[in-house]
Amino acid sequence: MRTSMIERKSKETHIKAKLNVDGRGDRARIKTGIAFLDHMIELFAFHGLFDLELDVVCSDTAIDIHHTNEDIGIVLGKAFREALGDKAGIRRFGGAGAPMEATTARVLLDISGRGYFKLNIEEDKVVQLKGKEEYSFTYLEHFMESFAHALGATISVTVQNVSDDVHTNVEAVFKALGLALDQATQVDPRREGIVPSTKGIID
Ligand SMILES: [Mn+2]
């Protein structure tokens, strides 16, 4: 069973996660306290066919969502890292795109053991979500950086035809991330028991 349970407690946040990589995607229970992020992570789990429970027990959102957003990325990355164990048999690489209206997001991902994140956007079109919670490309970058490092993955995200609505951009990214991570975590029967690296380990 490729499952994990993570609990992380700091002076800023207390977060619990329960994950089944081989789920069906429609059993997500996401309670981050940031409604926008709940929506994004639910989409990610649904399209990645992951069963995910995520509970932010407490956090310092009275300041802003900075720490909570980052720490959710850390906990989610740890949950996948632990569930995948020695990574024997997995495809390791994943690549997927998702369109939303005119906007397209592409995610290329390698569960290499090395955390690295790159966001490619047209720099002149940095937009900010103004609503009940604020979200932005900067927050997306913080989240993805934390996730990539905690998982030990190289993740490259490209957004084209950037929408003025940050919701549209970020939603396309989270859908593509779910699709790409589903691919990368799938077991290839031809590779049974083999760690997908010429080094023999992915740590
Ligand atoms: Mn939406």
Side-chain angles (χ1 to χ4, degrees):
M1 287 287 280
R2 301 197 298 168
T3 60
S4 64
M5 280 178 80
I6 303 288
E7 182 164 8
R8 182 179 185 274
K9 207 171 179 176
S10 75
K11 285 179 180 170
E12 296 165 345
T13 65
H14 179 192
I15 304 172
K16 292 180 187 178
K18 202 175 155 190
L19 170 70
N20 179 4
V21 175
D22 304 298
R24 37 180 272 183
D26 64 342
R27 289 188 283 232
R29 283 205 303 109
I30 315 296
K31 287 189 289 180
T32 67
I34 306 165
F36 179 71
L37 206 51
D38 288 355
H39 178 41
M40 294 302 120
I41 295 171
E42 195 179 336
L43 288 164
F44 157 78
F46 187 88
H47 294 292
L49 296 157
F50 308 123
D51 287 345
L52 178 65
E53 289 176 27
L54 192 66
D55 193 12
V56 175
V57 181
C58 64
S59 68
D60 62 358
T61 44
I63 303 170
D64 60 24
I65 66 167
H66 187 104
H67 300 138
T68 311
N69 178 62
E70 263 182 17
D71 292 357
I72 291 166
I74 293 171
V75 169
L76 205 56
K78 278 178 180 244
F80 277 94
R81 189 175 195 135
E82 189 174 306
L84 293 173
D86 67 3
K87 303 170 191 80
I90 66 165
R91 293 192 191 275
R92 182 180 148 177
F93 293 90
M100 194 158 171
E101 295 157 11
T103 303
T104 57
R106 288 191 187 82
V107 173
L108 293 175
L109 186 149
D110 174 15
I111 305 174
S112 59
R114 294 176 297 279
Y116 184 86
F117 174 71
K118 172 74 179 159
L119 177 64
N120 308 292
I121 49 167
E122 301 153 51
E123 293 293 337
D124 58 325
K125 289 202 78 178
V126 175
V127 291
Q128 190 104 21
L129 178 79
K130 297 284 182 196
K132 198 162 172 252
E133 304 88 10
E134 291 189 359
Y135 211 80
S136 63
F137 277 126
T138 306
Y139 279 134
L140 177 69
E141 268 187 300
H142 291 168
F143 179 94
M144 290 290 178
E145 261 167 27
S146 303
F147 179 68
H149 282 99
L151 169 59
T154 304
I155 302 175
S156 174
V157 173
T158 304
V159 182
Q160 286 180 308
N161 295 323
V162 173
S163 169
D164 291 333
D165 175 21
V166 81
H167 189 132
T168 303
N169 300 307
V170 177
E171 180 161 333
V173 170
F174 272 85
K175 283 173 174 165
L177 181 69
L179 294 168
L181 192 59
D182 179 41
Q183 278 179 22
T185 57
Q186 286 295 300
V187 172
D188 185 334
R190 297 170 299 177
R191 196 175 254 161
E192 198 185 333
I194 299 168
V195 175
S197 168
T198 51
K199 289 186 287 192
I201 59 163
I202 297 175
D203 58 358

